[in-house]
Amino acid sequence: MSEFETYTAPPPAPQEESSREERQWALFGHLSALTGLFTGGVGNIVGPLVIWLVKKDSMPFASDQAKEALNFNITLLIVCVILFLITLVTFGIGVIVTAPLGLLVFIAWLVLTIIAAVKANDGIAYRYPFALRLVK
């Protein structure tokens, strides 16, 4: 398996039907990123990280989905830092470009997080598009 394939690998095949409780924890793994709206962005990373760390040994589906949410939110954090740095380097003039891009990133984050939560609640392993698989 090449290095590219490890970063874009499809979700693992389901071993067995996940339990209702495991699907619920997978749902929480995705929705916990929404706590970032109330914590100044800290909850975007901390929420999925906590669920992944708590459930990684006992619930494989919930662990996989929380890890996927964590990777997606780390990727978006990197994108937001880059947009902020572009704004700083251009002494604020770049905000003409970075503000609309930031709004698009926010809307995409919100929509994709909700889609992922619904899929996880249905027992379907969801993979975010364009997410770097940094946490393995």
Side-chain angles (χ1 to χ4, degrees):
M1 185 180 274
S2 72
E3 186 174 328
F4 175 74
E5 290 172 340
T6 60
Y7 285 111
T8 59
Q15 304 292 342
E16 59 196 43
E17 184 69 24
S18 54
S19 69
R20 184 166 188 244
E21 182 183 7
E22 191 167 3
R23 290 191 321 241
Q24 187 175 21
W25 277 103
L27 168 85
F28 293 154
H30 290 291
L31 291 182
S32 64
L34 296 178
T35 61
L37 294 171
F38 308 107
T39 61
V42 175
N44 293 17
I45 305 295
V46 173
L49 177 64
V50 167
I51 294 197
W52 176 58
L53 290 174
V54 169
K55 297 297 177 185
K56 71 179 178 180
D57 295 327
S58 60
M59 296 182 174
F61 180 69
S63 168
D64 175 63
Q65 291 303 290
K67 185 170 39 172
E68 184 66 19
L70 178 62
N71 282 324
F72 178 65
N73 284 288
I74 290 172
T75 302
L76 289 186
L77 175 66
I78 292 169
V79 169
C80 289
V81 166
I82 290 170
L83 290 175
F84 179 72
L85 289 176
I86 290 171
T87 303
L88 282 181
V89 168
T90 61
F91 300 108
I93 297 172
V95 79
I96 296 169
V97 173
T98 59
L101 285 176
L103 181 62
L104 284 176
V105 167
F106 173 76
I107 292 169
W109 167 76
L110 189 60
V111 169
L112 290 173
T113 299
I114 292 169
I115 290 171
V118 170
K119 295 279 187 182
N121 195 39
D122 291 339
I124 300 169
Y126 184 77
R127 291 290 176 253
Y128 288 97
F130 310 113
L132 299 174
R133 307 291 186 274
L134 300 172
V135 178
K136 295 190 188 278

